[in-house]
Amino acid sequence: MANPRYDIVIVGSGAGGGTIAHALGSTDASVLIVERGDFIPQEPQNWDPEAVWKDLRYRTTERWVDAGGREFRPYTHYCVGGNTKFWGSVMYRLRREDFGAVKHSDGVSPAWPIDYETLSPYYDRAERLYEVHGESGIDPTEPPREPFPYPKIPHSEQISRMVDELCAQGLHPSPLPLGLRSPGEPGGCILCDTCNSFPCQQHDKSEAEVCCVRPTLTRPNVTLWTHAQALRLRTDAGGRRVTAVEIERNGEVEVVETPLVIVACGAVNSAALLLRSANDKQPDGLSNSSGLVGRRYMAHLATMMQGFNPFWKNRTVFQKTVAINDFYLSGPNGRYPLGHIQSQGRTHGVMARTVATWMPLWAYNAWVARGSDWLAMSEDLPRADNRVTLETDGRIRLAYRPNNIRAHDQLVEETTRMLNRLGFSLVMPHSHQTQNTTHQCGTLCFGTDPRESVLDPYCRSHDIDNLFVVDASFFPSSAAVNPGLTIAAQALRVADHIKETDLA
Ligand SMILES: Cc1cc2nc3c(=O)[nH]c(=O)nc-3n(C[C@H](O)[C@H](O)[C@H](O)COP(=O)(O)OP(=O)(O)OC[C@H]3O[C@@H](n4cnc5c(N)ncnc54)[C@H](O)[C@@H]3O)c2cc1C
Ligand code: SF4
């Protein structure tokens, strides 16, 4: 029997894959989306902190190894929609400065091959697609932009009071840009306390399954295979074109032929797929003439910070509405950037207990009821030896040593000071450190020079004409805001380019 053939094969259905599937599904091309996971069922466990945080019900059971060969269970999810199913839906544009070279205390964050103005119209489109709510003109670091397509999510009474106090501290708090569907309206998002890190039981979170994959599947030319893991890409004899994708599906290996492959497995898995696809012509992995496949992995330095006040009761349900970017471009006493601060979704006792298991749950519940939750996030710089490789048995090895630590420590200090002034006398920081793979990026960076990058500025492989990569791998620097909107915007830009070139 002949192998199946599609005009386009997209591997992965998350922020990058789901968005580009939506954009290319509107053409006449036959599109196959290959997703190794399944749909997340809508079930009571979606919003159950015990199921999500104690049983890790939706997290992959796969194990990766670190630089020292120790196994760990990465914080990542294989399902339709990818990690967007679990995201906090904070949908930021990079700051204009992030597109240029930026000096940090620990080195230079390299320039992107495109500027903010190039991506700006695609940010507009991505914000409409993902129904982003916000208010422009308040954040001092905001790049030039049109008004948000949807109004900001109002702060709770307690957060409003904190915002006033933060302004009195001389800071410039701004509304967090959030992708939510019909918040507060009948039948829409109920602004609950189980959003960030939980799937939405009502499908009201703006994520790739709901905003992109489901709508595009209504078209007759788009097909989705779930439980379908791409194992390898095959090339022609010259090694310049991909000819087919080998896919493990229902225990069988199937070969799908195609003239155009778009890889979007997430930064770690996309690099692993190219490395696994090594052949006689490209023994170090596909598209690896630069030697950079898998290198320059970045992940953000992120510290969860809970301010505690024994005389205060947290009555806010939906808490994730405010951001502070006063230290984004420079710290209070120095010239180097420190990063970004945002309020977080409510911590539940079960979640706190995963950090230290010795205290009884009631004690954690009492603690988190008097706590206010924040996140301090700093830029991670690209280093060649922070990288993805494969073990001889095929497992993923992720060697990662965080850098820019001084800047992050300073940001944590500033956040602590800020929370102390808000009346939280005790501030508890917590970080997943080297095993935080949630904001993974940078393993297949884009650029103009094939010796210094894996992809061109349209995310086309420098080495292989009909291969694109549209997930977080293409980031040459990580910036210090959440990556999702930028992944989606670039996927829309790449889709336009494909329509004008390969599909024309
Ligand atoms: C708890 C949590 C909260 C977050 N909050 C935010 C937030 O508020 N804002 C934000 O911008 N970002 C947030 N992020 C990060 C964001 O989710 C990711 O940056 C984004 O999803 C990455 O998009 P991607 O396309 O690179 O990969 P993913 O979205 O991870 O998609 C990759 C897809 O490829 C599939 N896949 C992998 N390998 C294969 C294979 N070999 N064959 C077939 N399929 C494969 C996976 O199953 C997955 O569906 C959060 C992440 C987590 C985990
Ligand atoms: S109802 Fe709204 S706040 Fe709750 S999980 Fe869904 S999208 Fe998030």
Side-chain angles (χ1 to χ4, degrees):
M1 211 170 66
N3 292 326
R5 187 189 179 286
Y6 290 84
D7 295 333
I8 304 173
V9 174
I10 300 172
V11 187
S13 64
T19 305
I20 203 162
H22 187 268
L24 294 177
S26 63
T27 66
D28 293 334
S30 60
V31 178
L32 174 66
I33 309 167
V34 179
E35 170 52 56
R36 70 185 283 177
D38 200 350
F39 285 98
I40 299 284
Q42 288 174 272
E43 56 183 9
Q45 289 92 333
N46 291 165
W47 282 344
D48 178 357
E50 189 132 337
V52 172
W53 275 90
K54 187 161 163 252
D55 306 339
L56 306 182
R57 182 177 179 82
Y58 305 109
R59 225 176 272 187
T60 180
T61 54
E62 193 174 69
R63 297 291 196 276
W64 297 350
V65 297
D66 67 15
R70 288 172 295 270
E71 278 203 340
F72 69 99
R73 188 174 174 181
Y75 189 175
T76 198
H77 307 84
Y78 297 143
C79 57
V80 177
N83 282 296
T84 71
K85 288 292 296 178
F86 299 86
W87 69 8
S89 229
V90 174
M91 303 205 68
Y92 258 107
R93 295 174 182 223
L94 297 196
R95 313 293 86 180
R96 192 188 221 164
E97 292 79 357
D98 289 323
F99 290 83
V102 180
K103 268 195 180 167
H104 286 257
S105 66
D106 222 9
V108 174
S109 158
W112 287 40
I114 56 174
D115 58 11
Y116 171 74
E117 279 64 29
T118 304
L119 208 53
S120 178
Y122 297 98
Y123 275 134
D124 293 342
R125 279 173 53 188
E127 285 178 345
R128 287 197 293 275
L129 181 61
Y130 282 89
E131 302 188 29
V132 180
H133 296 249
E135 185 176 4
S136 53
I138 299 180
D139 180 346
T141 66
E142 182 179 77
R145 54 160 303 137
E146 298 289 305
F148 279 87
Y150 295 88
K152 70 175 177 188
I153 307 294
H155 300 309
S156 73
E157 184 206 322
Q158 284 181 318
I159 294 281
S160 285
R161 205 167 312 135
M162 284 186 207
V163 165
D164 291 344
E165 290 173 26
L166 291 170
C167 291
Q169 289 184 24
L171 298 172
H172 299 82
S174 50
L176 262 183
L178 290 166
L180 301 171
R181 292 153 57 97
S182 308
E185 291 174 24
C189 159
I190 57 171
L191 295 168
C192 67
D193 66 357
T194 45
C195 194
N196 187 25
S197 77
F198 297 82
C200 179
Q201 197 182 338
Q202 300 187 162
H203 278 189
D204 283 327
K205 194 192 291 196
S206 299
E207 35 88 344
E209 178 202 340
V210 167
C211 296
C212 301
V213 178
R214 282 185 186 269
T216 201
L217 284 178
T218 59
R219 298 188 54 91
N221 55 319
V222 182
T223 307
L224 168 69
W225 285 1
T226 56
H227 293 292
Q229 182 177 357
L231 301 177
R232 286 169 50 83
L233 308 181
R234 287 188 185 173
T235 65
D236 62 7
R240 288 289 300 173
R241 291 187 70 78
V242 175
T243 53
V245 186
E246 289 175 25
I247 298 165
E248 187 176 312
R249 186 179 175 219
N250 303 324
E252 305 278 322
V253 176
E254 299 190 40
V255 176
V256 175
E257 294 176 4
T258 181
L260 187 64
V261 175
I262 302 172
V263 170
C265 303
V268 171
N269 276 291
S270 285
L273 179 61
L274 297 193
L275 293 172
R276 267 190 207 112
S277 303
N279 57 32
D280 290 350
K281 281 272 179 289
Q282 304 184 59
D284 299 326
L286 289 199
S287 195
N288 202 9
S289 60
S290 62
L292 286 173
V293 168
R295 291 190 184 268
R296 301 187 186 168
Y297 168 86
M298 294 168 281
H300 280 154
L301 288 92
T303 300
M304 309 292 301
M305 306 199 51
Q306 193 175 54
F308 179 73
N309 178 348
F311 307 109
W312 180 80
K313 191 93 203 288
N314 191 341
R315 294 189 308 276
T316 297
V317 180
F318 190 83
Q319 185 175 247
K320 200 176 168 81
T321 56
V322 61
I324 294 141
N325 277 327
D326 290 86
F327 310 118
Y328 197 89
L329 300 175
S330 66
N333 308 314
R335 35 198 188 108
Y336 297 120
L338 302 188
H340 162 82
I341 303 167
Q342 63 184 237
S343 58
Q344 276 296 284
R346 287 288 303 262
T347 299
H348 298 262
V350 176
M351 292 159 72
R353 200 160 186 254
T354 59
V355 177
T357 48
W358 48 271
M359 246 166 54
L361 188 57
W362 64 263
Y364 279 112
N365 285 332
W367 168 276
V368 299
R370 287 159 182 78
S372 177
D373 308 280
W374 297 76
L375 170 70
M377 192 155 73
S378 306
E379 178 154 356
D380 193 6
L381 300 171
R383 290 276 157 81
D385 49 1
N386 281 344
R387 66 185 294 207
V388 177
T389 51
L390 297 175
E391 297 288 271
T392 44
D393 62 6
R395 277 177 310 165
I396 288 171
R397 177 186 285 248
L398 183 60
Y400 174 60
R401 201 160 46 88
N403 54 66
N404 218 9
I405 291 171
R406 255 179 313 165
H408 186 61
D409 286 349
Q410 242 184 300
L411 184 69
V412 168
E413 274 170 35
E414 288 302 330
T415 311
T416 305
R417 249 194 293 277
M418 177 191 101
L419 290 172
N420 289 155
R421 289 194 204 111
L422 288 176
F424 300 103
S425 48
L426 188 60
V427 178
M428 295 291 287
H430 171 66
S431 163
H432 290 284
Q433 307 214 332
T434 54
Q435 298 188 355
N436 180 16
T437 54
T438 57
H439 286 188
Q440 56 183 269
C441 64
T443 52
L444 304 165
C445 63
F446 76 161
T448 49
D449 182 350
R451 288 163 307 179
E452 279 301 315
S453 54
V454 178
L455 308 170
D456 80 4
Y458 284 107
C459 286
R460 188 194 294 268
S461 156
H462 285 301
D463 299 350
I464 300 184
D465 296 337
N466 63 342
L467 174 64
F468 289 83
V469 182
V470 297
D471 54 31
S473 323
F474 76 85
F475 281 39
S477 70
S478 68
V481 288
N482 311 61
L485 188 76
T486 302
I487 300 168
Q490 174 70 353
L492 294 175
R493 179 170 173 264
V494 173
D496 274 5
H497 172 72
I498 289 174
K499 286 180 197 169
E500 287 158 14
T501 53
D502 303 64
L503 295 184

